[in-house]
């Protein structure tokens, strides 16, 4: 499972011109699922993201988590995080999980993150053509891959 995490001052996801989810201060998380992922990946990733200290404290040092700041989260499915680009110029998506694997894990991740944060996580719609708008605060952008835990 891969997550591209961006600290944002605001973000939204729209489908066919209508806003489906939007947040203020918090995290926009683009989430990719591969064939080998399972519930253990979800649990580890949720714990890591919820505790990730990338928000400023009173001294301007990144020392606070999304939980500490009572921030919001927007999670958008993003199979392209598993693009293979080694051959030619057209990416291949062979490592991205099929819908029957990725949809339940995406939903499990969103539910677990909501529970960890104590508030609803905003989302896009799995498989939809979405437009994501955000103001990256910092900018702070971090990539986490559950297969590289060490």
């Amino acid at each position: 499972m891969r997550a591209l995490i961006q600290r944002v001052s605001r973000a939204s996801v729209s489908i066919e011109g209508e806003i489906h989810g939007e947040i203020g201060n918090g995290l926009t998380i683009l989430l990719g699922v591969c064939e080998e992922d399972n519930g253990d990946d979800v649990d580890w990733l949720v714990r890591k993201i919820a505790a990730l200290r990338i928000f400023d404290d009173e001294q301007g040092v990144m020392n606070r988590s999304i939980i500490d700041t009572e921030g919001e989260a927007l999670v958008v499915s993003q199979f392209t995080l598993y693009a293979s680009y080694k051959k030619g110029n057209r990416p291949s998506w062979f490592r991205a999980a099929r819908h029957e694997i990725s949809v339940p894990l995406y939903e499990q991740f969103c539910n677990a993150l909501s529970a960890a944060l104590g508030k609803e996580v905003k989302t896009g719609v799995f498989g939809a053509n979405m437009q994501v708008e955000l103001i990256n605060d910092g900018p702070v952008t971090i990539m986490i891959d559950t297969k590289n835990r060490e």
Side-chain angles (χ1 to χ4, degrees), residues 25-62:
N25 287 317
L27 299 175
T28 296
I29 302 164
L30 304 179
L31 185 71
V33 179
C34 77
E35 291 286 325
E36 297 83 31
D37 289 333
N38 59 46
D40 290 337
D41 294 290
V42 170
D43 295 341
W44 182 86
L45 188 57
V46 166
R47 283 193 312 272
K48 182 58 84 174
I49 291 172
L52 198 60
R53 297 182 336 187
I54 58 173
F55 293 90
D56 293 346
D57 62 15
E58 296 75 23
Q59 288 76 41
V61 176
M62 282 194 259

Side-chain angles (χ1 to χ4, degrees), residues 48-80:
K48 182 58 84 174
I49 291 172
L52 198 60
R53 297 182 336 187
I54 58 173
F55 293 90
D56 293 346
D57 62 15
E58 296 75 23
Q59 288 76 41
V61 176
M62 282 194 259
N63 202 28
R64 300 179 76 202
S65 71
I66 188 171
I67 292 173
D68 298 332
T69 62
E70 298 180 359
E72 298 178 277
L74 173 66
V75 181
V76 178
S77 61
Q78 187 73 45
F79 75 93
T80 60

